[in-house]
Amino acid sequence: MGRRRPGAEVPDLSGLTVTAAEDAVLDAGLLPRRVAQGSDVPCARCQDGTVVCGQRPRPHARMAAGNRVCFWCAPTGDDPPDDGRGGSRVPRGPRPLSPTGSKPF
């Protein structure tokens, strides 16, 4: 008879930061893998300022310990887009323009 590895339950990663998601997967006895959305290509853009927006396999599925859980992420909205042009297309609201803390008239 072959030896079977004990099963592990896949944690729900949606809404967690990348670091917290990796920790949750490791705590479950599985291996985390950040990928680009819709593919199996590793994602280098997923940083600590992003949250998990999807995963495969689905949460609470059972799988053998040591298998990989793929997840992808999206920016939280507080960070400027990383499109190489810098800045944000959405206005961030009024900001003080003088060192005194108020806008000049």
Side-chain angles (χ1 to χ4, degrees), residues 53-104:
C53 64
Q55 70 183 78
R56 188 178 52 241
R58 69 186 189 288
H60 309 294
R62 302 289 301 180
M63 58 190 312
N67 282 348
R68 292 195 179 273
V69 175
C70 297
F71 63 90
W72 48 95
C73 53
T76 60
D78 295 337
D79 301 326
D82 187 21
D83 59 1
R85 293 180 285 171
S88 174
R89 295 177 27 181
V90 179
R92 301 266 185 196
R95 292 188 185 100
L97 300 178
S98 70
T100 61
S102 60
K103 286 186 172 184

